[in-house]
Amino acid sequence: MRVLCNALSSCAKTLNWNLGIRIHAYMIHSGYEDNLFLSSALVDFYAKCGAIADASKVFSGMKTHDQVSWTSLIAGFSMNGQGRDALLLFKEMLDTQVKPNCFTYSSVISACVEQKEALEQCSTLHAHVIKRGFKNNKFVISSLLDCYAKCRQIDDAVLLFDETSEKDTILYNSLISGYSQNLYSEDALKLFVEMRKKDLRPTDHTLSSILNACGSLTVLLQGRQLHSLVIKMGSERNVFVTSALIDMYSKGGDIDEARRVLDLTAEKNSVLWTSMIMGYAQCGRGSEALELFDHLLTEQGFIPDHVCFTAVLTACNHAGFLDKGVEYFNKMRTHYGLSPDQDQYGCLIDLYARNGNLRKAKDLMEEMPYNANRVIWSSFLSFCKIHGEVELGREAANQLIKMDPHNAVPYITLAHIYARNGLWTEAAEVRSLMQRRRLRKPAGWSWIEVDKHVHVFGVGDVAHSQSNEIYAELEKIYLGMIFHIGVPMATARLLELASKKREGNRLIFEVHQPLIVANEMLIDGG
DNA sequence: CGACCTAAAC
């Protein structure tokens, strides 16, 4: 019996489906079917193999359930993306005599993320955990911290981290990824440095999170150091790490290095391809993005998903390929049976608006089966500004103000639109409304409009002026940034885009205030 | 017999 139990456990770990089902057959044949331990192991096996229906069937066929069988199925739902079912099953468990233990809590807390009332569920479970005395279990703490971070409650995550006396690698990983996901990238870097000082060995999880942070910050210098660490650790084989590397190099402006990483990867998956296409799209090399995509379709039998189409359509946007964009959008449904979601509609709307066809863009917003979100309205508003469209601009600005009354940007843009069209009274009204609501531009930030295709959101207060002066200002600001953040590539790329006045390019470049850790070596001997 | 942290998006 013990042998069977261990064998099933191994099958679960190695996803050995064929052996697992043979053991199940043998169990039925030899009358072990009612054994609690074996049945629990079986639930775990089916759940881990993704056969959640079979796991449920075994579970409901059991005469009694213990902590392990409950937990195995709860964890099974959670890891198969059915968090809702995991929570429901947990509630069912609470009505029985079997008490959840720390295994149950770490599973059910992980299931909370991406649920509707995630934060509420998570806090409730946190209270349970304290009451039942599991708050020192490192698995429970990590899942709680992760859940808080994913609910954007980074302060709660940090509190949990600080309260924990024995911090292990996984706890560091949880907070580093939390910082990175919430765009506290610099804090992620700092924590990584601290982790290394404590001689905690990074894992593949650490690397993918920290590379992600480097991507957000566009710090190539640090990214390259980490790349050498990746190679030293042999982590190039991990697709999570590889994808973070490709993304980091793309965001940092070294798209050719991103391509080299991709080419050197033996087993490429759709995330890697999509990252690469998006990389080309974002740096303005739209044709190369489409070339790669078309090559994948014809030569590799590649089946694109929604995200991939977002990347392809983004490439069309940035390169100004209106007809091609519409063609790909239609192909989604006709060739691949994918119904476009909000993001692909967003791209198409963006594409029309960019081309000055604001009416068509607006019609699409009304036709599509989704409510336009903040992203879509913001992009639409900025094109109303570029094309001097007052009525639609006003509507867009009002929508955005309704969604987020404390964001100053739509007010400022609307005032610009009015002023450009000589509507001075209306412009003054918007400004006084802003004053009444005590809204101002975030300190140290301002919009710089380079020409009608290139916008830069940068540091420094630059007065509105003509193109040449703006280039000079840009250079001053961004050369300063090169010094601060040590990322010549992204900056050079930005200046190149700006000075070439490429048609159809719109670039929003966000950079934070000078980095504290930017010039510190992240790894020894890197 | 079971549990925590990692990837692509206008």
Side-chain angles (χ1 to χ4, degrees), chain A residues 470-525:
Chain A
I470 283 288
Y471 293 137
E473 286 297 339
L474 255 184
E475 209 166 318
K476 218 157 62 192
I477 292 168
Y478 284 102
L479 287 180
M481 262 180 207
I482 293 172
F483 175 75
H484 283 311
I485 65 181
V487 54
M489 292 305 289
T491 314
R493 189 72 209 156
L494 174 79
L495 288 172
E496 192 188 330
L497 283 168
S499 57
K500 275 188 180 166
K501 295 190 193 178
R502 293 170 63 117
E503 284 291 312
N505 271 319
R506 177 170 161 267
L507 188 68
I508 294 173
F509 193 76
E510 290 184 37
V511 181
H512 293 274
Q513 294 289 345
L515 292 166
I516 296 163
V517 291
N519 294 318
E520 192 167 339
M521 288 293 145
L522 290 179
I523 64 169
D524 312 316

Side-chain angles (χ1 to χ4, degrees), chain A residues 24 39-40 42-48 50-62 65 69-70 72-74 76-77 80 82 85-86 89 92:
Chain A
H24 189 183
S39 300
S40 299
L42 205 52
V43 173
D44 183 52
F45 161 74
Y46 280 122
K48 284 219 173 67
I52 196 72
D54 294 304
S56 293
K57 212 158 133 191
V58 174
F59 182 84
S60 23
M62 290 167 71
H65 299 127
S69 43
W70 279 105
S72 297
L73 193 57
I74 290 170
F77 277 126
N80 283 287
Q82 303 183 35
D85 295 313
L89 194 65
E92 230 176 274

Side-chain angles (χ1 to χ4, degrees), chain A residues 374-375 377-383 385-386 400 407-416 420 431 434 440-465 470 473-474 477-478 494 506-511:
Chain A
R374 206 181 53 81
V375 173
W377 280 118
S378 314
S379 133
F380 185 74
L381 176 62
S382 71
F383 289 116
K385 178 179 151 188
I386 288 163
L400 285 164
N407 181 7
V409 175
Y411 294 89
I412 297 170
T413 313
L414 184 60
H416 268 274
R420 288 274 179 86
R431 290 193 198 284
M434 270 185 77
R440 33 178 83 168
K441 283 186 279 190
W445 296 75
S446 76
W447 280 97
I448 312 163
E449 188 176 334
V450 179
D451 60 33
K452 67 178 208 162
H453 293 300
V454 182
H455 297 258
V456 180
F457 194 34
V459 180
D461 213 13
V462 180
H464 212 77
S465 56
I470 283 288
E473 286 297 339
L474 255 184
I477 292 168
Y478 284 102
L494 174 79
R506 177 170 161 267
L507 188 68
I508 294 173
F509 193 76
E510 290 184 37
V511 181

